[in-house]
Amino acid sequence: MSRTASYDRADALQAAMELFWAKGYHDTSMKDLERALSLRPGSIYAAFQSKEALFREALERYSAQMEANLLALVNDSPSPLIALRMHLISLSDLRPADRPSSACMLVKSLLEVPGDGKLRDLILAHLDQIESVISKVLQKAQLARELPVDADLDRLAIRIQTYIFGLKIQAQRQIDPQKMRLLCLDLAEELHALSPDYAAITPLRTGETPVSAGKTVVTER
């Protein structure tokens, strides 16, 4: 490997992540990887040992980027709950052409791998980690009195994670940007309605009544 191996490795891993994200694990061939990484087979094996090991690292990179993006949004926002609402709204801007896929790489991979095995366990662990990050953001919101003290944060974290992944899948098929934006706003306003000071907070759509009102959103199935 060259003396700039660490930089080259990062570039190669990013390229592999985007390829696996677009084509999936099984449909990505070694020839595909050679072209995307601009590496010969021997160099790929020397750097990553195997296709599966490379895929594992690609999943780790994707999960880490997703987590970092969410935390950065929280850190830049005036409140944790607003950060989550804005994250949901930002998903209305997803376009299939903007990235390898607007669908979540973790969800796509989970649907592709066998029903059991180490790869599935790895993907589930990454999904659990994202859920944990969302739960921690909700804990901050609760401490800031943006959520009721009796809110079931673990249950709510699962719900928000489902919204995020569902919106990313919806972005794959929704060609009407206005419909996509309204959907994202509807789900974001469900979070808006969770606040004990809901009535005093400016709605996301001025002059409109939020789709979900009251605090029952926290506990309903």
Side-chain angles (χ1 to χ4, degrees):
M1 302 286 288
S2 69
R3 61 188 179 86
T4 59
S6 59
Y7 176 81
D8 292 342
R9 181 183 178 86
D11 282 353
L13 189 54
Q14 180 69 24
M17 183 195 78
E18 293 178 0
L19 181 61
F20 283 128
W21 187 3
K23 298 194 65 173
Y25 175 63
H26 292 302
D27 286 343
T28 298
S29 67
M30 286 305 299
K31 285 293 185 184
D32 293 330
L33 288 168
E34 289 173 34
R35 287 191 293 268
L37 277 60
S38 299
L39 291 173
R40 296 181 180 275
S43 297
I44 294 177
Y45 285 114
F48 302 103
Q49 286 73 58
S50 67
K51 175 184 169 182
E52 180 177 324
L54 177 54
F55 180 62
R56 286 171 171 271
E57 287 200 46
L59 286 173
E60 176 69 33
R61 186 178 185 87
Y62 177 89
S63 181
Q65 289 180 359
M66 186 176 181
E67 180 179 341
N69 290 339
L70 181 56
L71 291 177
L73 183 62
V74 172
N75 292 334
D76 292 340
S77 173
S79 83
L81 197 61
I82 287 176
L84 289 175
R85 290 163 62 200
M86 295 309 297
H87 182 61
L88 290 176
I89 293 171
S90 72
L91 298 179
S92 67
D93 295 326
L94 287 176
R95 299 289 183 273
D98 291 343
R99 63 210 71 219
S101 170
S102 60
C104 175
M105 180 182 177
L106 296 175
V107 174
K108 288 181 67 175
S109 299
L110 184 63
L111 295 174
E112 182 187 11
V113 300
D116 53 17
K118 293 182 178 180
L119 273 182
R120 179 179 174 83
D121 291 341
L122 176 67
I123 296 167
L124 290 175
H126 284 308
L127 289 170
D128 288 344
Q129 176 60 25
I130 299 299
E131 180 186 321
S132 176
V133 171
I134 296 172
S135 182
K136 290 177 181 177
V137 175
L138 292 171
Q139 289 172 22
K140 290 182 178 181
Q142 193 174 54
L143 289 173
R145 299 183 179 180
E146 296 180 332
L147 291 173
V149 294
D150 60 348
D152 188 337
L153 301 187
D154 290 337
R155 187 171 177 180
L156 184 56
I158 295 174
R159 182 171 183 166
I160 294 173
Q161 185 181 49
T162 302
Y163 286 171
I164 292 171
F165 294 149
L167 287 171
K168 289 184 175 183
I169 292 173
Q170 181 69 14
Q172 288 284 97
R173 61 177 292 270
Q174 184 57 259
I175 59 175
D176 185 335
Q178 179 63 10
K179 287 183 179 179
M180 186 68 189
R181 179 164 178 77
L182 289 175
L183 175 60
C184 291
L185 283 167
D186 285 345
L187 297 183
E189 284 184 355
E190 287 195 12
L191 295 187
H192 177 67
L194 297 178
S195 173
D197 296 325
Y198 168 60
I201 300 175
T202 303
L204 292 173
R205 287 176 281 185
T206 303
E208 292 189 17
T209 301
V211 174
S212 298
K215 300 183 182 64
T216 55
V217 178
V218 176
T219 56
E220 69 178 5
R221 284 192 181 275

PDB file of all heavy atoms in Angstrom, residues 198-218:
ATOM      1  N   TYR A 198     -47.736  22.707  23.999  1.00  0.00           N
ATOM      2  CA  TYR A 198     -48.104  22.580  22.591  1.00  0.00           C
ATOM      3  C   TYR A 198     -48.883  23.782  22.073  1.00  0.00           C
ATOM      4  O   TYR A 198     -48.585  24.346  21.024  1.00  0.00           O
ATOM      5  CB  TYR A 198     -48.922  21.303  22.418  1.00  0.00           C
ATOM      6  CG  TYR A 198     -49.627  21.155  21.093  1.00  0.00           C
ATOM      7  CD1 TYR A 198     -48.896  21.135  19.904  1.00  0.00           C
ATOM      8  CD2 TYR A 198     -51.007  21.021  21.032  1.00  0.00           C
ATOM      9  CE1 TYR A 198     -49.540  20.980  18.690  1.00  0.00           C
ATOM     10  CE2 TYR A 198     -51.645  20.863  19.821  1.00  0.00           C
ATOM     11  CZ  TYR A 198     -50.919  20.848  18.655  1.00  0.00           C
ATOM     12  OH  TYR A 198     -51.543  20.699  17.462  1.00  0.00           O
ATOM     13  N   ALA A 199     -49.882  24.207  22.828  1.00  0.00           N
ATOM     14  CA  ALA A 199     -50.750  25.293  22.361  1.00  0.00           C
ATOM     15  C   ALA A 199     -50.002  26.618  22.239  1.00  0.00           C
ATOM     16  O   ALA A 199     -50.396  27.495  21.474  1.00  0.00           O
ATOM     17  CB  ALA A 199     -51.934  25.458  23.302  1.00  0.00           C
ATOM     18  N   ALA A 200     -48.915  26.749  23.004  1.00  0.00           N
ATOM     19  CA  ALA A 200     -48.184  28.012  22.991  1.00  0.00           C
ATOM     20  C   ALA A 200     -47.068  28.043  21.960  1.00  0.00           C
ATOM     21  O   ALA A 200     -46.462  29.084  21.720  1.00  0.00           O
ATOM     22  CB  ALA A 200     -47.588  28.267  24.382  1.00  0.00           C
ATOM     23  N   ILE A 201     -46.797  26.896  21.339  1.00  0.00           N
ATOM     24  CA  ILE A 201     -45.694  26.808  20.383  1.00  0.00           C
ATOM     25  C   ILE A 201     -46.215  27.095  18.979  1.00  0.00           C
ATOM     26  O   ILE A 201     -47.276  26.603  18.587  1.00  0.00           O
ATOM     27  CB  ILE A 201     -45.043  25.412  20.429  1.00  0.00           C
ATOM     28  CG1 ILE A 201     -44.488  25.143  21.830  1.00  0.00           C
ATOM     29  CG2 ILE A 201     -43.932  25.291  19.401  1.00  0.00           C
ATOM     30  CD1 ILE A 201     -43.929  23.748  21.994  1.00  0.00           C
ATOM     31  N   THR A 202     -45.466  27.855  18.240  1.00  0.00           N
ATOM     32  CA  THR A 202     -45.876  28.199  16.879  1.00  0.00           C
ATOM     33  C   THR A 202     -45.944  26.952  16.010  1.00  0.00           C
ATOM     34  O   THR A 202     -44.972  26.196  15.938  1.00  0.00           O
ATOM     35  CB  THR A 202     -44.878  29.183  16.254  1.00  0.00           C
ATOM     36  OG1 THR A 202     -44.790  30.331  17.082  1.00  0.00           O
ATOM     37  CG2 THR A 202     -45.328  29.591  14.858  1.00  0.00           C
ATOM     38  N   PRO A 203     -47.068  26.684  15.363  1.00  0.00           N
ATOM     39  CA  PRO A 203     -47.167  25.515  14.482  1.00  0.00           C
ATOM     40  C   PRO A 203     -46.179  25.604  13.332  1.00  0.00           C
ATOM     41  O   PRO A 203     -45.732  26.690  12.970  1.00  0.00           O
ATOM     42  CB  PRO A 203     -48.612  25.579  13.966  1.00  0.00           C
ATOM     43  CG  PRO A 203     -49.336  26.432  14.967  1.00  0.00           C
ATOM     44  CD  PRO A 203     -48.331  27.424  15.442  1.00  0.00           C
ATOM     45  N   LEU A 204     -45.868  24.452  12.757  1.00  0.00           N
ATOM     46  CA  LEU A 204     -44.945  24.418  11.631  1.00  0.00           C
ATOM     47  C   LEU A 204     -45.563  25.073  10.411  1.00  0.00           C
ATOM     48  O   LEU A 204     -44.868  25.644   9.588  1.00  0.00           O
ATOM     49  CB  LEU A 204     -44.565  22.975  11.313  1.00  0.00           C
ATOM     50  CG  LEU A 204     -43.721  22.283  12.387  1.00  0.00           C
ATOM     51  CD1 LEU A 204     -43.556  20.815  12.025  1.00  0.00           C
ATOM     52  CD2 LEU A 204     -42.362  22.943  12.510  1.00  0.00           C
ATOM     53  N   ARG A 205     -46.869  24.975  10.281  1.00  0.00           N
ATOM     54  CA  ARG A 205     -47.564  25.605   9.173  1.00  0.00           C
ATOM     55  C   ARG A 205     -48.472  26.682   9.742  1.00  0.00           C
ATOM     56  O   ARG A 205     -49.516  26.387  10.318  1.00  0.00           O
ATOM     57  CB  ARG A 205     -48.370  24.567   8.384  1.00  0.00           C
ATOM     58  CG  ARG A 205     -47.499  23.649   7.557  1.00  0.00           C
ATOM     59  CD  ARG A 205     -48.309  22.576   6.870  1.00  0.00           C
ATOM     60  NE  ARG A 205     -48.644  21.512   7.792  1.00  0.00           N
ATOM     61  CZ  ARG A 205     -49.266  20.391   7.430  1.00  0.00           C
ATOM     62  NH1 ARG A 205     -49.612  20.199   6.189  1.00  0.00           N
ATOM     63  NH2 ARG A 205     -49.537  19.463   8.306  1.00  0.00           N
ATOM     64  N   THR A 206     -48.073  27.914   9.610  1.00  0.00           N
ATOM     65  CA  THR A 206     -48.788  29.029  10.211  1.00  0.00           C
ATOM     66  C   THR A 206     -50.253  29.038   9.771  1.00  0.00           C
ATOM     67  O   THR A 206     -50.559  28.953   8.594  1.00  0.00           O
ATOM     68  CB  THR A 206     -48.128  30.363   9.820  1.00  0.00           C
ATOM     69  OG1 THR A 206     -46.764  30.317  10.217  1.00  0.00           O
ATOM     70  CG2 THR A 206     -48.826  31.516  10.512  1.00  0.00           C
ATOM     71  N   GLY A 207     -51.135  29.126  10.780  1.00  0.00           N
ATOM     72  CA  GLY A 207     -52.554  29.237  10.480  1.00  0.00           C
ATOM     73  C   GLY A 207     -53.261  27.916  10.313  1.00  0.00           C
ATOM     74  O   GLY A 207     -54.470  27.878  10.157  1.00  0.00           O
ATOM     75  N   GLU A 208     -52.517  26.797  10.378  1.00  0.00           N
ATOM     76  CA  GLU A 208     -53.137  25.486  10.220  1.00  0.00           C
ATOM     77  C   GLU A 208     -53.245  24.783  11.553  1.00  0.00           C
ATOM     78  O   GLU A 208     -52.406  24.957  12.435  1.00  0.00           O
ATOM     79  CB  GLU A 208     -52.329  24.613   9.251  1.00  0.00           C
ATOM     80  CG  GLU A 208     -52.367  25.086   7.817  1.00  0.00           C
ATOM     81  CD  GLU A 208     -51.733  24.082   6.883  1.00  0.00           C
ATOM     82  OE1 GLU A 208     -51.577  22.924   7.286  1.00  0.00           O
ATOM     83  OE2 GLU A 208     -51.390  24.451   5.761  1.00  0.00           O
ATOM     84  N   THR A 209     -54.260  23.982  11.725  1.00  0.00           N
ATOM     85  CA  THR A 209     -54.390  23.148  12.903  1.00  0.00           C
ATOM     86  C   THR A 209     -53.565  21.890  12.706  1.00  0.00           C
ATOM     87  O   THR A 209     -53.727  21.200  11.693  1.00  0.00           O
ATOM     88  CB  THR A 209     -55.861  22.748  13.126  1.00  0.00           C
ATOM     89  OG1 THR A 209     -56.636  23.935  13.279  1.00  0.00           O
ATOM     90  CG2 THR A 209     -56.001  21.884  14.367  1.00  0.00           C
ATOM     91  N   PRO A 210     -52.664  21.566  13.629  1.00  0.00           N
ATOM     92  CA  PRO A 210     -51.852  20.363  13.470  1.00  0.00           C
ATOM     93  C   PRO A 210     -52.703  19.115  13.298  1.00  0.00           C
ATOM     94  O   PRO A 210     -53.797  19.022  13.840  1.00  0.00           O
ATOM     95  CB  PRO A 210     -51.040  20.310  14.773  1.00  0.00           C
ATOM     96  CG  PRO A 210     -50.984  21.744  15.228  1.00  0.00           C
ATOM     97  CD  PRO A 210     -52.302  22.321  14.824  1.00  0.00           C
ATOM     98  N   VAL A 211     -52.180  18.166  12.566  1.00  0.00           N
ATOM     99  CA  VAL A 211     -52.921  16.940  12.282  1.00  0.00           C
ATOM    100  C   VAL A 211     -53.214  16.164  13.549  1.00  0.00           C
ATOM    101  O   VAL A 211     -54.284  15.626  13.755  1.00  0.00           O
ATOM    102  CB  VAL A 211     -52.123  16.068  11.303  1.00  0.00           C
ATOM    103  CG1 VAL A 211     -52.801  14.732  11.121  1.00  0.00           C
ATOM    104  CG2 VAL A 211     -51.998  16.777   9.978  1.00  0.00           C
ATOM    105  N   SER A 212     -52.218  16.064  14.443  1.00  0.00           N
ATOM    106  CA  SER A 212     -52.381  15.340  15.699  1.00  0.00           C
ATOM    107  C   SER A 212     -52.359  16.342  16.837  1.00  0.00           C
ATOM    108  O   SER A 212     -51.459  17.159  16.923  1.00  0.00           O
ATOM    109  CB  SER A 212     -51.263  14.323  15.885  1.00  0.00           C
ATOM    110  OG  SER A 212     -51.310  13.371  14.866  1.00  0.00           O
ATOM    111  N   ALA A 213     -53.341  16.275  17.720  1.00  0.00           N
ATOM    112  CA  ALA A 213     -53.378  17.197  18.845  1.00  0.00           C
ATOM    113  C   ALA A 213     -53.470  16.409  20.134  1.00  0.00           C
ATOM    114  O   ALA A 213     -53.879  15.264  20.165  1.00  0.00           O
ATOM    115  CB  ALA A 213     -54.569  18.135  18.721  1.00  0.00           C
ATOM    116  N   GLY A 214     -53.071  17.064  21.230  1.00  0.00           N
ATOM    117  CA  GLY A 214     -53.135  16.412  22.524  1.00  0.00           C
ATOM    118  C   GLY A 214     -51.921  15.561  22.798  1.00  0.00           C
ATOM    119  O   GLY A 214     -51.035  15.426  21.982  1.00  0.00           O
ATOM    120  N   LYS A 215     -51.885  14.951  23.989  1.00  0.00           N
ATOM    121  CA  LYS A 215     -50.706  14.205  24.415  1.00  0.00           C
ATOM    122  C   LYS A 215     -50.895  12.699  24.243  1.00  0.00           C
ATOM    123  O   LYS A 215     -50.040  11.926  24.601  1.00  0.00           O
ATOM    124  CB  LYS A 215     -50.383  14.523  25.868  1.00  0.00           C
ATOM    125  CG  LYS A 215     -50.096  16.015  26.118  1.00  0.00           C
ATOM    126  CD  LYS A 215     -49.718  16.243  27.555  1.00  0.00           C
ATOM    127  CE  LYS A 215     -49.482  17.723  27.836  1.00  0.00           C
ATOM    128  NZ  LYS A 215     -50.672  18.539  27.677  1.00  0.00           N
ATOM    129  N   THR A 216     -52.030  12.271  23.714  1.00  0.00           N
ATOM    130  CA  THR A 216     -52.264  10.844  23.572  1.00  0.00           C
ATOM    131  C   THR A 216     -51.324  10.224  22.553  1.00  0.00           C
ATOM    132  O   THR A 216     -51.174   9.013  22.496  1.00  0.00           O
ATOM    133  CB  THR A 216     -53.710  10.565  23.125  1.00  0.00           C
ATOM    134  OG1 THR A 216     -53.974  11.301  21.934  1.00  0.00           O
ATOM    135  CG2 THR A 216     -54.674  11.004  24.205  1.00  0.00           C
ATOM    136  N   VAL A 217     -50.639  11.058  21.747  1.00  0.00           N
ATOM    137  CA  VAL A 217     -49.713  10.545  20.739  1.00  0.00           C
ATOM    138  C   VAL A 217     -48.622   9.716  21.389  1.00  0.00           C
ATOM    139  O   VAL A 217     -48.113   8.775  20.808  1.00  0.00           O
ATOM    140  CB  VAL A 217     -49.097  11.715  19.959  1.00  0.00           C
ATOM    141  CG1 VAL A 217     -48.087  11.218  18.946  1.00  0.00           C
ATOM    142  CG2 VAL A 217     -50.184  12.501  19.250  1.00  0.00           C
ATOM    143  N   VAL A 218     -48.274  10.046  22.637  1.00  0.00           N
ATOM    144  CA  VAL A 218     -47.159   9.377  23.288  1.00  0.00           C
ATOM    145  C   VAL A 218     -47.461   7.902  23.538  1.00  0.00           C
ATOM    146  O   VAL A 218     -46.605   7.052  23.409  1.00  0.00           O
ATOM    147  CB  VAL A 218     -46.848  10.064  24.640  1.00  0.00           C
ATOM    148  CG1 VAL A 218     -45.745   9.329  25.378  1.00  0.00           C
ATOM    149  CG2 VAL A 218     -46.464  11.504  24.406  1.00  0.00           C
TER     150      VAL A 218
END
